[in-house]
Amino acid sequence: MHFKLGFLLFAQSSLLLLAHGSPIESPSESSHPLHGRAPATFKHPGVLVNKAQLDFVKNRVAAKAQPWYDAYNAMLADDLASSTRSPSPYQTVECGSASMNPGNGCQEERQDALAAYANALAWYISGTQSYANKAISYMNAWARTIKDHTYSNAPLQTGWSGASWARAAEIIRYSNAGWSSSDITAFENMLRNVYLPKIIGGSKANGNWELVMMEAAQGISVFLNDASSYDKAMNIFFGRAPAFVYLTSDGSCPKAAPSNGFTSCSQVKTYWEQSTFPENGIAQETCRDFQHTGFGISSMSHVAETSKIQGSDLWTTDVGTRIRYALGFHSKFMLGEPAPSWLCNGYVDLKRGRVDFQVTEVGYNALNGRLGIPMTNTGILTQQNRPAGTNNLFFGWETLTHASNGAF
C-alpha cells in the first residue's frame, strides 16, 4: 500500500512537471524566522512612527532645521491639512475597477484618512489643539458612518484607507489629544468589524494589493492590541514579500506567493512579464510600471518599520535586503539610466513615478542611516524628491517623519 501511494504521488508530480515545467519554491511560514511576530506588549504610538521619532521631528521643526522644517510647511500647505476641509463619510464605499466603476466614496475615504494623519502629525509637532480636533473629527465621522466596502477594489481600498487610519489613530490616542474613550471604542469597532475582515485573508491579486492589505492589518492590529491578527498578517506578509522582490540567491526564477498557487517557473515568469533575472531588486510589477512597484515597496518598508518599533528588526533580515535592492534597482532608472534590453523588453514605464516613487525615505533612513549600508542611487533620488509629499492614496510626508531620523 505504501509503495502504491508513493508511486501515485510520484506519478502525479511527474505529470505536473510535464504540464507546467520546472517546479518553483513558494515561501512558507516555516521558511521565515519567527521574529516579526506580535510582541508580548504592544508599543504605542507604534505604527510607522514611535514617540522617540515623533519627538525628534518635533524638535527639528522647532529649530527650523532642514529638511524637516520645509517638509512640515509643505504638509501644512497641502489641501488635506486645511482647517476648512471637512469629513465626507459614506456608509458603503463602492470601489470597482480602478476605483471608478463605480467610485462612490473611494477618494473621499482615502483622503479623509490621510487628512487625519496629516493633522495628527501637525498636532504632535506643534501642540496646536485645533489640529488634534480636526484629526478626531475625521475619525469620528467615519466610525459613526461606514458599514462596508464593496465591489472588486474593496480589499485594496480598505488596505489603503486602513493603513492611514491606523497611523493617525495611534498618534492621537497616545498623545493626550482629547479623544474620548467612547469615540476610541467606536473607532476600534470600525477597524475590527469593517476593515480587518476585508483584508486579513490576503489577496491573489498583484503584490501591491496584498502588501498594503497586510500593512493595514498590521497597523490595525497594533491599535487594537490584537496579537492573533498581527501574527496572521505577518504570516501572509512573509509569504508575499520575497515573492515581490527578487534576489539572485532565489535562483533562476522568482519565488511564488502562496496565494497565487503557481506551480512552475514559466507561470511565474509570465506573471512577472520578465524572462531573465540577472540582478537583485527586480520586482513583480517592475514591467507593469513603477507606480504600482512603488506602492509595493512602500508597504514593505512600512511593515518593516512598524515591526522594528514593535521589537522585531526586519531591516536586518531577508526583508530588509529585498527592500534595499528594490530601492537601488529602481532608483537608477528613475535617475535616468536607460533600461537594458533584457529588462521588460528594454522599456520601463515611469508614469507618475515622480509622485508614486516618493517611497525611499523610510527604507533609506533605516538601511543607510541606521545600519550604514551604502545606497548611492537611492540617496540621490531621495534628495531629489524632498520634501516627499503624498500620493493621495496611502503614503505621505515621509521626509518629515523619516529623514535622518535615528531616534528609537
Side-chain angles (χ1 to χ4, degrees):
M1 178 64 73
H2 292 296
F3 172 79
K4 287 182 179 179
L5 179 60
F7 177 78
L8 287 172
L9 290 173
F10 172 79
Q12 184 180 35
S13 299
S14 299
L15 286 172
L16 215 68
L17 290 176
L18 287 171
H20 298 293
S22 302
I24 53 168
E25 180 181 352
S26 182
S28 64
E29 180 182 349
S30 61
S31 68
H32 297 283
L34 287 178
H35 75 229
R37 300 303 193 260
T41 302
F42 285 104
K43 299 175 179 64
H44 302 289
V47 177
L48 190 58
V49 287
N50 66 9
K51 185 179 186 302
Q53 291 170 303
L54 289 166
D55 286 342
F56 170 84
V57 175
K58 180 175 183 175
N59 291 334
R60 294 289 81 204
V61 171
K64 297 185 178 181
Q66 300 297 356
W68 306 275
Y69 187 66
D70 282 353
Y72 176 65
N73 287 324
M75 182 187 74
L76 293 184
D78 195 298
D79 288 344
L80 295 177
S82 171
S83 62
T84 60
R85 192 180 183 280
S86 299
S88 300
Y90 280 64
Q91 187 173 69
T92 302
V93 177
E94 301 172 319
C95 304
S97 177
S99 295
M100 295 187 293
N101 300 301
N104 299 319
C106 310
Q107 177 174 296
E108 290 86 347
E109 181 189 28
R110 295 191 304 263
Q111 294 190 4
D112 279 3
L114 281 166
Y117 180 51
N119 279 280
L121 288 171
W123 146 250
Y124 197 100
I125 292 166
S126 70
T128 301
Q129 185 64 42
S130 60
Y131 289 127
N133 295 343
K134 180 62 73 171
I136 291 168
S137 74
Y138 286 113
M139 294 188 288
N140 287 352
W142 281 88
R144 289 193 298 263
T145 305
I146 190 168
K147 302 298 181 185
D148 200 7
H149 298 86
T150 61
Y151 287 86
S152 59
N153 263 29
L156 179 62
Q157 172 74 19
T158 309
W160 280 340
S161 301
S164 300
W165 286 133
R167 288 179 223 134
E170 276 285 296
I171 294 172
I172 292 296
R173 184 177 190 175
Y174 294 99
S175 61
N176 297 313
W179 199 13
S180 74
S181 59
S182 61
D183 287 340
I184 291 171
T185 297
F187 196 78
E188 286 179 323
N189 290 336
M190 178 191 80
L191 294 180
R192 182 181 295 108
N193 299 324
V194 179
Y195 285 77
L196 200 54
K198 197 71 70 174
I199 56 179
I200 195 64
S203 171
K204 295 181 180 179
N206 278 307
N208 80 87
W209 278 52
E210 191 163 70
L211 289 168
V212 78
M213 289 164 67
M214 293 311 104
E215 175 192 346
Q218 181 196 41
I220 289 170
S221 297
V222 171
F223 186 74
L224 296 177
N225 293 295
D226 183 347
S228 176
S229 294
Y230 188 100
D231 287 349
K232 186 171 184 178
M234 293 307 297
N235 286 344
I236 295 173
F237 174 80
F238 282 142
R240 177 63 80 162
F244 190 74
V245 177
Y246 171 80
L247 297 179
T248 55
S249 58
D250 295 336
S252 61
C253 191
K255 296 178 183 293
S259 59
N260 287 143
F262 296 142
T263 58
S264 75
C265 185
S266 61
Q267 288 177 309
V268 176
K269 288 181 176 181
T270 298
Y271 188 59
W272 284 53
E273 303 178 60
Q274 177 67 27
S275 59
T276 59
F277 297 87
E279 286 190 35
N280 291 312
I282 306 168
Q284 180 250 305
E285 299 191 72
T286 299
C287 294
R288 180 187 184 186
D289 57 56
F290 277 31
Q291 177 186 28
H292 293 90
T293 299
F295 294 169
I297 296 171
S298 176
S299 288
M300 287 179 64
S301 299
H302 294 168
V303 170
E305 190 74 344
T306 296
S307 296
K308 167 76 172 174
I309 292 168
Q310 297 303 330
S312 298
D313 192 354
L314 299 188
W315 294 111
T316 60
T317 71
D318 176 83
V319 171
T321 300
R322 291 180 191 272
I323 294 171
R324 168 195 171 191
Y325 281 111
L327 289 172
F329 181 80
H330 293 87
S331 290
K332 65 184 178 182
F333 300 116
M334 290 296 300
L335 292 171
E337 183 174 317
S341 59
W342 59 262
L343 179 65
C344 310
N345 295 316
Y347 171 76
V348 290
D349 186 348
L350 305 180
K351 69 181 181 183
R352 296 199 65 197
R354 294 301 168 194
V355 174
D356 290 316
F357 214 81
Q358 291 186 31
V359 298
T360 61
E361 289 278 12
V362 177
Y364 184 67
N365 179 61
L367 295 163
N368 176 264
R370 294 200 297 254
L371 297 178
I373 298 171
M375 299 175 70
T376 302
N377 287 327
T378 305
I380 294 171
L381 183 63
T382 300
Q383 291 285 345
Q384 286 186 4
N385 282 339
R386 286 179 174 171
T390 177
N391 69 345
N392 289 315
L393 296 174
F394 74 100
F395 63 75
W397 311 292
E398 291 175 357
T399 298
L400 176 65
T401 56
H402 285 85
S404 303
N405 193 335
F408 243 93

